[in-house]
Amino acid sequence: MILQMKPLSFDMKALEPYISKKTFEFHYGKHYATYVQNTNDLIADTPMQDMDLMSIIHHCAGKPEYQSLFNNAAQVFNHEFFWNSLTDDAEKRQIAPVLADKIVRDFKSYDDFANVLLQTAVKQFGSGWAWLISDNGVLKVVSTANAMLPMGKGIKPLLCIDVWEHAYYLDYQNRRADFIKIVIGLLNWQFAWENYNKGV
Ligand code: MN
């Protein structure tokens, strides 16, 4: 099937002044659009043209001959996950009580969690992603390089933050930490809760 760009759940101006419309015009309208186009170009006239996105990613993972397709397809997944990890809706930023308890259990406190997420995102060398995951029910923060996503038995991503420079350079230049601190306040915990409750 031909992949379609997934719409943002908010207006491109909705997160201003924290993330600008201009950033979304480039990040969503150019970078993400290119990953979708590249993936469609690379699956055309192959058996993968009938697969859904996650099946393409699994099919290509770890296979050198499919490295380019893996990178592009994984970037489509990661970007759609990131768009959904952001919200302009204050209600969706509230953490479900069960999830809040698990954050305290696994990180000691929300502030400790936020600090681990910040430090992990800042320390990811070069391009990549910072993730909150459920690893067989235990909440963890991990980072991945380039287009990689956290995969494995019992691992479910709950939220992610794009730490490629293109995610923040227009608004924050080299100040990745400033961008991460802001994004932590914009996270869509309703999306995290939905992911937590999904089957693996
Ligand atoms: Mn990006």
Side-chain angles (χ1 to χ4, degrees):
M1 82 184 128
I2 300 300
L3 302 176
Q4 306 285 345
M5 290 176 72
K6 295 269 188 353
L8 292 171
S9 68
F10 45 82
D11 189 273
M12 284 193 186
K13 289 184 296 194
L15 300 181
E16 289 191 336
Y18 307 115
I19 305 176
S20 67
K21 178 170 182 261
K22 190 172 183 188
T23 286
F24 280 109
E25 285 172 349
F26 279 89
H27 197 185
Y28 178 91
K30 304 288 184 192
H31 291 277
Y32 166 59
T34 299
Y35 295 127
V36 173
Q37 185 62 53
N38 287 346
T39 302
N40 281 330
D41 290 346
L42 289 165
I43 62 174
D45 303 320
T46 80
M48 282 180 278
Q49 70 183 356
D50 297 319
M51 292 183 185
D52 63 25
L53 180 62
M54 201 33 94
S55 299
I56 295 167
I57 291 168
H58 280 291
H59 185 74
C60 295
K63 294 182 183 149
E65 67 273 31
Y66 291 131
Q67 184 72 53
S68 180
L69 177 51
F70 174 84
N71 286 340
N72 281 282
Q75 284 292 80
V76 172
F77 175 86
N78 294 349
H79 281 89
E80 290 172 357
F81 209 88
F82 179 52
W83 311 140
N84 285 326
S85 293
L86 300 170
T87 184
D88 63 335
D89 182 339
E91 270 191 35
K92 292 181 179 174
R93 292 180 188 156
Q94 301 299 315
I95 305 178
V98 171
L99 203 48
D101 287 347
K102 298 206 184 290
I103 287 169
V104 171
R105 182 193 68 186
D106 296 334
F107 297 97
K108 290 188 185 160
S109 70
Y110 172 83
D111 287 346
D112 286 304
F113 153 74
N115 192 47
V116 169
L117 180 55
L118 172 64
Q119 297 304 326
T120 302
V122 167
K123 284 178 187 161
Q124 170 57 39
F125 186 78
S127 296
W129 299 82
W131 305 81
L132 173 64
I133 65 167
S134 168
D135 180 351
N136 293 285
V138 177
L139 302 187
K140 296 177 180 175
V141 167
V142 298
S143 64
T144 59
N146 300 318
M148 283 301 295
L149 54 149
M151 298 170 93
K153 197 166 164 35
I155 291 179
K156 287 189 284 193
L158 305 185
L159 293 168
C160 78
I161 302 178
D162 190 340
V163 300
W164 285 57
E165 280 189 348
H166 69 223
Y168 56 86
Y169 212 84
L170 291 174
D171 296 327
Y172 297 89
Q173 294 77 49
N174 62 317
R175 292 174 284 113
R176 184 189 287 187
D178 290 351
F179 168 72
I180 301 300
K181 283 179 199 164
I182 288 293
V183 169
I184 288 172
L186 305 175
L187 289 173
N188 184 346
W189 285 95
Q190 182 174 305
F191 179 60
W193 181 233
E194 288 164 9
N195 289 321
Y196 186 82
N197 288 305
K198 271 185 193 162
V200 175

